[in-house]
Amino acid sequence: MNWIDDVVFDADGLVPAIAQDWQSGRILMVAWMNREALIETAQTDRAVYWSRSRKRLWRKGEESGNTQRVCSLRLDCDGDVILLTVEQQGGVACHTGRESCFYRELAGTAQERQWQVTDAVLKNPESMYK
């Protein structure tokens, strides 16, 4: 049996992939991988995802330059989630120019909860995407 056969892809042929900073442990982003993206990632040690909006492989950083060098790949106990520990090149994983896509935190009292931005923009998105 090949290692890829242990991965449980959903009905659309996708598996969620969590990118985590290899040093800090911070979750940078969540994306999707199909079989081809996962194989290419394993072969090249560069994060490759499946873009659901573009309907094609998305080599992280192909436009922005903010690539992810993969340090390790892990599979969860059910075989249906991939965890990548990555070295984020450029320090920005989010298309908003922030380190992480998880830059909002729920804050306030129970009656007045709202999302509060916790991370500053490190790089102007207009300079990353043309």
Side-chain angles (χ1 to χ4, degrees):
M1 183 181 220
N2 193 333
W3 64 271
I4 195 78
D5 296 330
D6 290 333
V7 180
V8 179
F9 294 94
D10 69 13
D12 295 321
L14 302 174
V15 62
I18 301 165
Q20 179 181 37
D21 184 273
W22 74 283
Q23 286 185 309
S24 70
R26 184 167 190 199
I27 301 300
L28 301 176
M29 56 178 278
V30 176
W32 295 91
M33 290 180 148
N34 64 4
R35 186 181 186 92
E36 184 180 356
L38 183 53
I39 290 170
E40 185 175 327
T41 297
Q43 290 174 340
T44 65
D45 292 329
R46 179 178 172 187
V48 178
Y49 302 105
W50 175 256
S51 173
R52 294 180 299 167
S53 60
R54 296 178 224 153
K55 305 283 189 238
R56 67 171 179 83
L57 290 181
W58 160 40
R59 290 163 182 88
K60 179 68 175 151
E62 63 190 11
E63 291 179 36
S64 67
N66 299 308
T67 60
Q68 293 175 340
R69 185 183 66 80
V70 177
C71 302
S72 70
L73 281 170
R74 292 180 178 261
L75 183 63
D76 82 325
C77 58
D78 295 322
D80 60 1
V81 177
I82 301 293
L83 174 64
L84 301 87
T85 57
V86 301
E87 181 180 2
Q88 182 65 53
Q89 308 295 312
V92 173
C94 185
H95 74 281
T96 66
R98 293 175 172 88
E99 174 189 20
S100 170
C101 293
F102 297 92
Y103 63 87
R104 293 177 282 194
E105 183 176 9
L106 191 60
T109 62
Q111 294 80 18
E112 298 180 16
R113 293 225 185 257
Q114 60 186 11
W115 293 109
Q116 183 175 46
V117 174
T118 58
D119 296 13
V121 173
L122 301 177
K123 196 175 210 179
N124 183 338
E126 291 176 14
S127 70
M128 296 187 299
Y129 303 100
K130 291 157 180 66

